[in-house]
Each structure stands twice: as C-alpha cells, then as structure tokens.
Amino acid sequence: MTLPHTGRALADAAPVPYWLDRPDRPDPLPPLVGQQTADLLVIGGGYSGLWAALLAKQADPDRDVLLVDAGTCGWAASGRNGGFCAASLTHGLANGVDRFPDEVGELERLGRENLDAIAATVAEFGIDCDFERTGELAVAVEPYQLAGLADDAELAGRYGHQVRLLDRDEVRAEVNSPTYLGGMFDSERVAMVDPAKLVWGLRRACLDLGVRVHEHTRVTGLRADGAALHAATTGGSDAAPGSVRARRIVLATNAFPPLLRRLRAYLVPVYDHVLMTEPLTPAQRDAIGWRNRQGLADTGNQFHYYRITADGRILFGGYDAVYHYGNRVAPELEQRHATFTALATHFFTTFPQLADVRFSHRWGGVIDTCTRFCPFFGTAYGGRLAYAAGYTGLGVGATRFGARVLLDLLAGGDTPLTRLDLVRRKPLPFPPEPLRAIGINLTRWSLARADAREGRRDLWLRTLDRFGLGFDS
C-alpha cells in the first residue's frame, strides 16, 4: 500500500546517483588517441580494473600499465552502490559453505585479509572515502526470520566470527524501528565507504604510480596480434578510432555486454535501485538513534540494505532486482517509478517517525550476477587475457581479491589463489532466451511468494536448491 506522503517525498529527487552528483568530482581524463602499446591493458575503470592496475604497478613499477574506460572511472556500479565493503568473497558465509565446503575456511581467512588490505591502502594513499569499520546489523522483521538469524549466528561461530544476537529491545536500542523483532550484529566483516570517493582515490593512486588512464575510450574489439593482443578503441571529440597493442589484458567490464562471447552464457545483468534522503535534522536523528552507524539489512529474500552517510543522510536500496529481456542494459532502465515508490513506502514503514523526510536522489544501476552469486574467473587468448565477473552486488571489497587472482592468472604460475576451487570452477550457465527471462522472473515471483509465506519455498525454489542454483539472501 502506497502511503499518502510517498509521492511528495519523491517529488524533487534528482534522477542521478548521489555519490557522483558532486562538484568536487575529478575532471575526466582525455580519451585515447592513435596507436598505443602497453605491457598491461586494463579494460574497465571500476573497482576491478583500478585494483588490478594499482596492484600490477605496485608489484612492478617498471611495468607499463594502461587503463581505459568507456565512461569515467566509477560511473557504473562502482559509483552507484550502497558502500558496503564486505570481507566475504562468496556473497555470504552460507553461500560459501554450500558451494565451496572444502575451502570455505580458507576463503573466509582470505576475505578478512583482503578487507584489512583495503583499509591499509586507504591509509597508505590518503584516500578520503569515509572508510568506517562499523560492522553490519542484520534485522528480522517477521517472526520466522528470528530462527534464520540464530542459524546464521551458529554458522558464523563455527568459523570463528564474533557475532552477537540481539532481542527486540536490544536491536531497537541500536536503531529504532517498530518493525524490528531481533537482530544479529557482525562487528568484524563489513566496513562502510563512500563508493565514488574510493574510486576517485584509487584512480589518483594509479596516476601517482604512473598508470596511464584514458576515459571516454570504448574498446570495440579484441584480436590476437602475434605474441600480443590488439584492442581496437573509439573515443575523443571526433570519435577517432585508436588501438592498443598489449602483452597482457585484464577484462573488467562486469555486467556490460562482454567482449568475450563465451561470457554471455554465464552473466545476467539485473537492475538495483536506490533512494537517498536529504540530510536528517538533529531531531530526526534522535528519533531513530543509529549512533553506531552500522550498515543494516533485513533478512527477507527480497531484502533492503541501508546505511547512514557521512553527511547524515540515509541510503535505502534493494528489494526489487529487475531483469530485462535479452540481457538488456540501457540508461533509461536506471529509472523505474514503481520500484522507487515501493522503496519509499518501505522506508516510511521502517521509519514512520521520519514521515516528513524527503528524498534528494533516486537512481538505478546494473549488477553482474551468475548462478553461484559470487565471482568467477578465467583466461582467453592462450592465457594472455584474464577476466573476472559475477560479483552479484558484493564487489566493493571482493574486487581487490579478484584483481589479485587476475594478475596471478596472467603470470601463468601455480599459486595458492589459482589453485582455489573458487577460481578454477565456473558457475552453471544460464539458458538462452526466452527460457532465461522465464526462469529469472519465475524465481523472482517465487522468492516474493516465499517472503509472504513465512519463508516457505515452493517447488520451483526447491528444485533450484537441489541443483545448486538456489538463492536465499
């Protein structure tokens, strides 16, 4: 049911990502012109590409690294997300246990090390991105979800994680919502970050180390060129064609139509949508508490994630992941009135004491997902190109680990990372259209139905579970 004040609250929301809508954003770098050469070409200027370029240059300062992006660094998922920087490499511990039972302990250790390394990089390069290790609070908003939280806490304890279950009064003392029935606080494995500022800081660090970066440069094709690879590009005010001849390539385009045909069967782009409020007044902050600034998420299948920003706004997103037939990706799909209205209604249901708050921004972005809901890796062109994709919304932290994997794969050696099942195994492919759209939309319908039926999964979801394709947030 749409609340009366929802339309008023959305009326003036700018249809652009809040994080990118800032006067202090860096000026774009010039596009690539003419024929260039490089030891390493990185295609994609989001987190995956920036981490790969930075780590490659740190490992070998003499390596000639060139990075290109079709837009500006961070204009896609890396500048549009909620800013949850998680230690998990497997989209949560439960998903890791289900899919990689023999190595999940090692993956959890690597994930903690990865989050520590991100914090160290932020400090080393003075990246001003509001990095806060506040942890995450998962909340139950239906009675049946309390048992799920208890199961999650027991599983986390088995792997040495320090989590704490909270009853109704305890969780509402942290964040005051009449919908909360209990919670689980994980103090270790999630940090909050300003996603665009992290991108811009990594970009600056790359430039300072000598990485060549060209924005508004689209790669239009790849081919073998002797012992190297040839990437055709277009960019510049006159859209002049250019090219790069590189010994090795990192492909980090994630949800966007892949330059490698083989990836099309494994990736599905889904649209996630987000609202951002205006800054809260002191009275409004007092009404909800939230003094410890944790990230929050409820525990339904169609879940919401939300957090407090450095300037006192609330970001509220998730719930309605939308797939468009034929893996369609287009700018006009970023705005969806029905989803924004639903999110605003859910926001005011969660925080009725904020009924007079307005939203300043509304936006959407595309997430790359695969059938195992965590990244997969591979090589092409005889090992001269390496790719990673499928992060499914948890790429803020995991992309740094992914970049390490890509550089190991390109080096061609047998390393602890390349020996992981996570790296060696591929997810099951999606079927072709129209079966792809039918299956995805049936799954979305069934997940919503399960949320309305106290978590009970129907025959379709149980069948997916049996074949290792099920998803439970």
Side-chain angles (χ1 to χ4, degrees):
M1 180 182 68
T2 303
L3 300 174
H5 50 284
T6 296
R8 182 177 69 251
L10 286 167
D12 299 321
V16 293
Y18 164 76
W19 308 116
L20 301 174
D21 187 26
R22 288 164 165 168
D24 58 345
R25 62 185 180 272
D27 293 330
L29 295 164
L32 185 144
V33 176
Q35 286 71 50
Q36 304 286 333
T37 62
D39 295 325
L40 176 66
L41 170 64
V42 179
I43 303 173
Y47 293 133
S48 292
L50 289 166
W51 279 117
L54 181 66
L55 294 173
K57 200 67 175 173
Q58 286 180 309
D60 181 1
D62 294 327
R63 183 182 302 179
D64 181 18
V65 180
L66 191 157
L67 181 148
V68 298
D69 193 277
T72 57
C73 289
W75 68 276
S78 297
R80 296 167 184 260
N81 61 82
F84 286 64
C85 187
S88 178
L89 306 176
T90 58
H91 208 281
L93 177 56
N95 193 53
V97 170
D98 287 345
R99 301 182 190 281
F100 308 103
D102 295 334
E103 66 182 28
V104 67
E106 175 69 2
L107 293 173
E108 289 293 292
R109 182 189 66 79
L110 289 168
R112 290 192 296 270
E113 289 181 355
N114 185 65
L115 184 58
D116 289 341
I118 292 172
T121 299
V122 167
E124 177 184 356
F125 290 95
I127 297 175
D128 178 17
C129 61
D130 303 324
F131 187 93
E132 299 179 282
R133 296 189 81 154
T134 57
E136 182 177 23
L137 180 60
V139 295
V141 296
E142 296 288 346
Y144 77 89
Q145 295 171 0
L146 293 169
L149 286 180
D151 290 342
D152 290 343
E154 190 276 331
L155 181 63
R158 274 194 271 149
Y159 288 89
H161 300 311
Q162 301 298 314
V163 301
R164 184 166 64 94
L165 287 173
L166 289 75
D167 64 22
R168 188 187 71 168
D169 292 340
E170 289 172 324
V171 72
R172 293 184 186 183
E174 291 291 331
V175 183
N176 184 17
S177 168
T179 66
Y180 296 169
L181 305 178
M184 184 186 79
F185 179 54
D186 183 343
S187 62
E188 296 180 329
R189 293 181 291 169
V190 179
M192 294 291 105
V193 66
D194 182 314
K197 287 184 176 181
L198 177 58
V199 167
W200 299 334
L202 292 173
R203 174 184 181 264
R204 176 176 54 80
C206 285
L207 292 169
D208 289 347
L209 292 182
V211 176
R212 293 184 288 148
V213 179
H214 292 283
E215 297 179 318
H216 294 295
T217 301
R218 182 180 300 277
V219 175
T220 57
L222 298 171
R223 62 175 173 83
D225 185 5
L229 296 175
H230 179 276
T233 69
T234 183
S237 58
D238 57 356
S243 66
V244 181
R245 189 175 189 270
R247 293 178 58 247
R248 297 288 185 270
I249 290 180
V250 162
L251 182 61
T253 52
N254 294 326
F256 288 86
L259 290 162
L260 287 178
R261 183 176 295 274
R262 70 181 68 172
L263 294 181
R264 296 175 187 175
Y266 294 105
L267 283 175
V268 160
V270 294
Y271 275 85
D272 184 52
H273 297 85
V274 186
L275 297 175
M276 184 74 85
T277 73
E278 62 191 359
L280 270 59
T281 66
Q284 290 166 338
R285 285 295 300 272
D286 288 341
I288 61 170
W290 211 344
R291 299 301 175 191
N292 293 318
R293 304 178 57 81
Q294 311 96 322
L296 271 90
D298 54 49
T299 53
N301 291 301
Q302 293 184 294
F303 66 96
H304 307 85
Y305 56 87
Y306 38 121
R307 49 83 56 95
I308 290 274
T309 66
D311 60 349
R313 303 168 185 262
I314 297 177
L315 176 144
F316 195 84
Y319 179 70
D320 192 12
V322 181
Y323 173 73
H324 297 277
Y325 188 90
N327 280 22
R328 187 175 173 222
V329 176
E332 59 267 24
L333 302 179
E334 296 168 8
Q335 296 293 315
R336 193 168 188 265
H337 176 75
T339 296
F340 293 133
T341 300
L343 280 175
T345 300
H346 300 165
F347 175 88
F348 291 121
T349 301
T350 303
F351 296 121
Q353 62 270 55
L354 299 182
D356 56 342
V357 166
R358 289 177 175 260
F359 298 103
S360 64
H361 294 76
R362 52 180 167 86
W363 72 91
V366 65
I367 293 172
D368 59 326
T369 192
C370 64
T371 56
R372 73 185 193 190
F373 312 107
C374 62
F376 64 93
F377 307 87
T379 61
Y381 293 101
R384 288 171 288 177
L385 179 148
Y387 60 83
Y391 288 93
T392 316
L394 279 189
V396 178
T399 45
R400 182 192 176 277
F401 168 83
R404 290 180 59 206
V405 170
L406 295 180
L407 296 177
D408 278 8
L409 289 172
L410 288 178
D414 179 30
T415 73
L417 297 187
T418 61
R419 288 195 292 270
L420 292 168
D421 277 351
L422 175 71
V423 175
R424 293 168 50 245
R425 286 169 34 199
K426 293 286 191 299
L428 291 174
F430 290 96
E433 297 288 18
L435 294 178
R436 178 176 295 197
I438 292 170
I440 291 170
N441 288 320
L442 177 57
T443 301
R444 291 181 61 231
W445 179 84
S446 293
L447 289 171
R449 187 165 179 254
D451 283 340
R453 299 170 67 236
E454 297 185 337
R456 292 191 297 274
R457 297 167 82 81
D458 62 16
L459 178 61
W460 174 251
L461 293 180
R462 295 198 304 272
T463 301
L464 293 180
D465 293 340
R466 191 172 302 119
F467 286 96
L469 300 172
F471 180 60
D472 183 342
S473 63

